[in-house]
Amino acid sequence: MTTAKDKYQKVAYYPGCALEGTAHSYNRSTQEVGKALGLDLVEVKNWNCCGAMEVKNIDPKLQTYLSSRVMAIAATEMKMDVVMAPCNGCYHNLKKAEYDLAHDPTSVEVVDRLSQKAGHATYEAGQVETIHALDWIMHGIGEDGLKQRLKGSLQGLKVANYYGCMYTRPRHIFPEKDKGPGTESTSKPHYMDDLLGAAGAVNVEFPLKTACCGGAHTLSDSDMSTKLVLNILRAAEAAGAEVIATECPTCHSGLEMHQVRAEKKFGQPTKVKILYFTQLLGLALGLSPRQVGVHENISDSLGFLREKGIA
Amino acid sequence: MPIHEQSLIRPENLTTHDQLVVDGVDVSGHWSTFIQSRVVTDYNEAMQDEIAALPGGENVHRCWQCGSCTNSCTVNAINPEFNPRHWIYLVRIGMESEILRDKDIIWQCVSCNKCTYACPRDVVPEGVMKALSHWLELKGHVKPSPSMVFDEVFSEQVFQHGKIEEGRVMQRFFKRTGQSLNQPWLIEMMRRMLRHLPVGMLTKLGLATLVAPRTSGWSGARAAIEEYVHEQEHKRRRALGLDALIEAAKRDAGPVTAGEGARS
């Protein structure tokens, strides 16, 4: 039987639109961390948008189709068993499409019809397993494996781990979660805590791990998003965090953008730094700040990381 | 008091008399406030079916009003007027006029899915909020919300090219909603974003806003999607009886329309 450890050594990599734009540093740090850990990433050929929240709002079945096309290419053209998506939105949508195609005949019919017309293989539920970057490192390497490969340490850096909405909700599209010890929890996720803890960080008790940053309306209802983000930033600071670690490009850019907006528009400054968890892991693995794209973040943490002796 | 009866105690439905004696009993003043009697006749009996015909609204009939959705709601914590449980109730009994009072905030659902996570009846309240927002727009009760405009700008690019470029989406969204890019916080954000970036990277980012990234060999998928979108639009219009409404409006317009019909 192949274990997750073997299965995750070489996976299809689905970066998604955001990682080619504003979340370039997440893309870069994910790939660099993969190299440092000896995990292979093969980018999904000619991928398309997963449909995101926006297409889902126009028509959920179209989102199912768009996500299914990505999985179909990974399964049939690339013969891969696992698709890894670091973006919570992409990850969520692929999982949702997987669930719908396993349970809803209408979704199967629509995907089949659209795939045939578009001229590519139809995705069938179960052909690939979709995982998040957190699953990839947690099960492909594990905490102990990570400790063995560390070249530095996060030196007791106080971190609030922020998971956002799409990684855990709704529960039914994540059948592998909430299965007891070793599995991820949807009410109190801990993979990021575990990994960063293994890399030397101190995880603060952060009550808003799965709170919403208002990412869906970050531009269309900005005041709402700013309020929601400010709650998160303040709760992290109140918990004693120096850094908020993120695992989603929408959350990350939302936190960065509304931190600036809260300061400039509402006179509510906050100091907490915002970094992708892969950037923090990369630094602990001995990569340079530039290699993990610290300079590409809006939240300026370079000086702080140097002061701490982490960068 | 059941949630739908809260309308009864709105200030405009309450009466207080300075001087009033009924059957010899003095009922003057604040302690004898009367709730005006009312008769509701404008139910939309098709309301639940209309919402169920739109994507996301399919399970609205399953609600048993436990209130888990509102209790867990992200937006409700910021604005108590945002009350999914209340709206689901109104949809189910067809009190369209009551829903219309909140027509300008229903679109503000942030899709965090806390309600869908908490709901013991699989109503998918997040989906119902989206269906209700669509319904308000399709029926002409509201102009497309900023969220809807954003969804359209975003989806147009996905349908057209297979993927999006965020800078483009943002520019088009600001343009279509008539907002200026010249806002102090936005400029500050750009300044911080560009602070450490090497020139090569900037050029690449700049080019991406001009030349859209695209999925190659997308034309087949584009055609399939366009056909599907068209078909679904037609289906929804029919479910909400919109075409019949337009036909009726044409008939009401009188001989001009009829004359045109005869000539063609």
Side-chain angles (χ1 to χ4, degrees):
Chain A
M1 204 186 116
T2 48
T3 61
K5 218 167 208 119
D6 302 326
K7 250 192 333 183
Y8 294 176
Q9 294 308 304
K10 186 177 179 182
V11 297
Y13 178 48
Y14 177 42
C17 305
L19 271 74
E20 289 202 333
T22 49
H24 185 260
S25 59
Y26 193 21
N27 195 350
R28 175 196 279 248
S29 54
T30 301
Q31 300 201 37
E32 289 291 339
V33 163
K35 264 188 232 163
L37 293 173
L39 297 172
D40 276 346
L41 292 175
V42 191
E43 189 163 330
V44 175
K45 286 179 195 159
N46 205 15
W47 53 264
N48 54 274
C49 168
C50 68
M53 185 83 75
E54 287 74 11
V55 177
K56 190 244 17 162
N57 288 345
I58 302 278
D59 192 304
K61 299 239 171 358
L62 272 183
Q63 180 261 303
T64 308
Y65 162 68
L66 289 165
S67 294
S68 82
R69 182 182 177 276
V70 174
M71 295 192 281
I73 292 174
T76 48
E77 285 185 36
M78 299 170 68
K79 311 281 178 219
M80 300 296 281
D81 300 322
V82 180
V83 178
M84 188 277 276
C87 166
N88 274 7
C90 299
Y91 166 70
H92 175 102
N93 277 345
L94 264 53
K95 295 295 257 188
K96 184 169 167 289
E98 178 74 35
Y99 179 86
D100 286 348
L101 292 174
H103 295 90
D104 173 31
T106 320
S107 296
V108 175
E109 185 259 317
V110 170
V111 164
D112 192 31
R113 189 154 56 94
L114 289 173
S115 301
Q116 275 184 27
K117 198 159 164 50
H120 57 80
T122 302
Y123 178 74
E124 284 169 31
Q127 282 183 305
V128 294
E129 178 191 358
T130 298
I131 60 170
H132 191 270
L134 281 170
D135 299 310
W136 175 58
I137 300 174
M138 195 65 184
H139 297 300
I141 294 291
E143 290 159 84
D144 292 337
L146 182 66
K147 277 184 194 159
Q148 287 161 18
R149 291 168 175 82
L150 291 179
K151 296 222 171 70
S153 163
L154 294 178
Q155 316 263 24
L157 183 73
K158 294 195 189 73
V159 179
N161 295 284
Y162 178 57
Y163 296 80
C165 302
M166 312 292 269
Y167 177 68
T168 55
R169 286 191 298 266
R171 190 202 314 260
H172 67 263
I173 64 171
F174 306 110
E176 70 284 5
K177 290 180 181 167
D178 295 329
K179 290 280 183 275
T183 65
E184 185 60 300
S185 158
T186 59
S187 57
K188 205 176 177 193
H190 53 83
Y191 278 8
M192 195 159 36
D193 294 70
D194 298 345
L195 291 172
L196 294 177
V202 171
N203 298 307
V204 302
E205 195 54 50
F206 181 45
L208 298 189
K209 280 181 173 188
T210 64
C212 178
C213 70
H217 291 164
T218 197
L219 292 175
S220 49
D221 195 4
S222 298
D223 287 353
M224 176 77 75
S225 299
T226 303
K227 280 179 200 162
L228 294 170
V229 166
L230 200 53
N231 279 346
I232 292 163
L233 299 174
R234 288 216 175 117
E237 289 188 349
E242 300 161 297
V243 168
I244 296 180
T246 57
E247 48 134 335
C248 166
T250 309
C251 299
H252 183 97
S253 56
L255 293 187
E256 287 189 320
M257 172 175 151
H258 291 284
Q259 186 174 40
V260 176
R261 199 168 182 273
E263 184 183 329
K264 288 285 149 191
K265 193 158 180 203
F266 299 103
Q268 309 270 9
T270 41
K271 286 191 307 201
V272 65
K273 308 291 181 194
I274 302 150
L275 285 151
Y276 287 107
F277 86 97
T278 43
Q279 293 183 306
L280 291 169
L281 278 188
L283 293 171
L285 288 164
L287 301 171
S288 73
R290 190 157 281 269
Q291 275 176 300
V292 294
V294 172
H295 60 294
E296 293 174 15
N297 293 350
I298 296 174
S299 169
D300 189 5
S301 48
L302 200 55
F304 166 77
L305 291 168
R306 289 213 171 108
E307 223 171 82
K308 281 259 153 190
I310 295 165
Chain B
M1 180 176 285
I3 192 165
H4 64 291
E5 302 293 11
Q6 60 181 244
S7 64
L8 292 178
I9 53 165
R10 281 196 200 111
E12 65 267 29
N13 294 333
L14 298 177
T15 312
T16 306
H17 297 274
D18 289 336
Q19 298 283 326
L20 183 67
V21 177
V22 176
D23 294 340
V25 180
D26 182 2
V27 287
S28 308
H30 178 75
W31 294 103
S32 300
T33 298
F34 289 82
I35 297 175
Q36 285 172 1
S37 66
R38 64 159 190 182
V39 177
V40 180
T41 52
D42 59 346
Y43 285 104
N44 171 0
E45 288 177 24
M47 181 104 194
Q48 175 170 293
D49 292 340
E50 290 177 358
I51 294 301
L54 298 175
E58 296 88 349
N59 284 5
V60 66
H61 67 280
R62 295 177 57 89
C63 178
W64 59 25
Q65 286 291 299
C66 71
S68 297
C69 49
T70 296
N71 196 30
S72 61
C73 179
T74 297
V75 182
N76 178 267
I78 290 190
N79 177 9
E81 297 294 310
F82 191 96
N83 191 338
R85 175 200 183 200
H86 182 40
W87 297 329
I88 290 171
Y89 189 89
L90 296 174
V91 165
R92 298 212 52 212
I93 61 173
M95 282 189 79
E96 190 170 328
S97 54
E98 279 295 311
I99 285 186
L100 293 184
R101 297 177 71 96
D102 293 329
K103 64 185 165 60
D104 296 322
I105 60 169
I106 292 172
W107 67 273
Q108 287 182 301
C109 163
V110 289
S111 294
C112 69
N113 272 318
K114 285 189 176 177
C115 51
T116 301
Y117 186 97
C119 178
R121 290 283 293 156
D122 198 19
V123 171
V124 195
E126 183 264 346
V128 177
M129 293 306 106
K130 296 297 155 196
L132 201 46
S133 307
H134 278 174
W135 180 89
L136 286 166
E137 285 171 22
L138 285 168
K139 286 264 177 167
H141 293 307
V142 293
K143 284 191 292 200
S145 67
S147 169
M148 182 49 126
V149 175
F150 190 82
D151 291 343
E152 280 172 0
V153 168
F154 189 105
S155 299
E156 276 165 21
Q157 283 191 39
V158 176
F159 298 164
Q160 192 66 27
H161 303 301
K163 37 174 106 163
I164 59 133
E165 195 283 310
E166 295 157 305
R168 267 171 174 249
V169 173
M170 188 161 161
Q171 278 174 17
R172 288 195 188 167
F173 171 73
F174 273 69
K175 197 171 166 200
R176 219 176 275 186
T177 49
Q179 297 179 69
S180 167
L181 283 164
N182 188 14
Q183 302 185 41
W185 67 270
L186 206 58
I187 292 166
E188 175 64 18
M189 192 183 80
M190 293 309 278
R191 194 185 65 75
R192 292 193 197 179
M193 189 149 98
L194 304 179
R195 188 175 34 205
H196 298 299
L197 285 186
V199 180
M201 173 93 186
L202 290 182
T203 320
K204 198 169 156 244
L205 279 175
L207 275 177
T209 60
L210 296 173
V211 186
R214 53 184 76 215
T215 308
S216 62
W218 186 248
S219 57
R222 186 192 305 140
I225 290 171
E226 277 167 2
E227 185 188 88
Y228 177 81
V229 168
H230 188 71
E231 169 197 303
Q232 291 300 311
E233 270 171 12
H234 180 67
K235 216 166 116 185
R236 279 167 212 163
R237 293 180 64 81
R238 208 172 46 203
L240 266 56
L242 294 182
D243 292 330
L245 278 177
I246 290 167
E247 282 307 310
K250 274 188 191 160
R251 273 199 306 279
D252 290 347
V256 181
T257 321
E260 278 174 352
R263 275 198 301 274
S264 60

